[in-house]
Amino acid sequence: MTAIGSKKVGVVSVSMHTAQVLATDGTLYGVGDNSVTQIGDGTTTNRAVFTLNSQFTASVLNSGELLIDVVQGSVNTFVRTNQGRYLIWGDGQSGQYGYQLSLSTTGLTYYNIPVEIITIGERIAEVAMFSGQNSTTSMIMFT
């Protein structure tokens, strides 16, 4: 694996205009188009170099919680944590956040901070996350 600075890279996810790199220590770096905050640094500034996602603070992650997977969609980013939580940020105007966080009910066009979209606890058997040109999707199988 390669490294960002002294970080060892664990997962890389790339869309047409944005890329995310998840280091093995759980830190996340993004580069590219950030027009709807899909890099996750709290801005809409496009990034030409990998930028630390500074949104994962104690107010978002639980004690001991780390990011373990990332999927970069064309306009949003989806992550999974070691505690079985799923968070998303970026564009959500097509229902990417699920029913409970529907942007039609909040009046927003995107979230610039990670929001939890599902909590499944211990019932998880298998998860597959993937992205297409205009979507980010997870398939969850329960025990």
Side-chain angles (χ1 to χ4, degrees):
M1 294 274 166
T2 58
I4 293 182
S6 61
K7 305 278 183 167
K8 185 174 181 184
V9 172
V11 179
V12 176
S13 185
V14 179
S15 72
M16 185 178 291
H17 300 289
T18 309
Q20 297 283 347
V21 171
L22 178 60
T24 56
D25 67 358
T27 54
L28 186 64
Y29 298 83
V31 66
D33 181 21
N34 197 29
S35 58
V36 288
T37 72
Q38 61 268 46
I39 287 177
D41 63 356
T43 75
T44 55
T45 303
N46 295 337
R47 301 295 178 182
V49 297
F50 279 97
T51 302
L52 177 66
N53 182 322
S54 57
Q55 301 296 312
F56 289 100
T57 62
S59 64
V60 174
L61 295 177
N62 299 320
S63 178
E65 189 172 26
L66 295 173
L67 303 182
I68 60 170
D69 202 0
V70 60
V71 172
Q72 179 61 59
S74 60
V75 292
N76 51 44
T77 307
F78 189 66
V79 294
R80 179 170 49 122
T81 75
N82 64 342
Q83 295 182 3
R85 293 194 318 136
Y86 294 82
L87 300 110
I88 191 170
W89 61 93
D91 185 17
Q93 64 185 332
S94 298
Q96 296 95 316
Y97 294 95
Y99 177 75
Q100 192 172 22
L101 290 172
S102 169
L103 294 176
S104 64
T105 61
T106 64
L108 300 171
T109 58
Y110 60 84
Y111 283 107
N112 63 355
I113 59 170
V115 292
E116 187 170 0
I117 60 170
I118 187 170
T119 302
I120 55 179
E122 298 298 318
R123 302 180 320 146
I124 187 169
E126 185 176 337
V127 173
M129 297 190 303
F130 52 92
S131 68
Q133 181 176 349
N134 295 310
S135 63
T136 307
T137 306
S138 69
M139 293 178 14
I140 301 167
M141 299 179 73
F142 298 96
T143 56

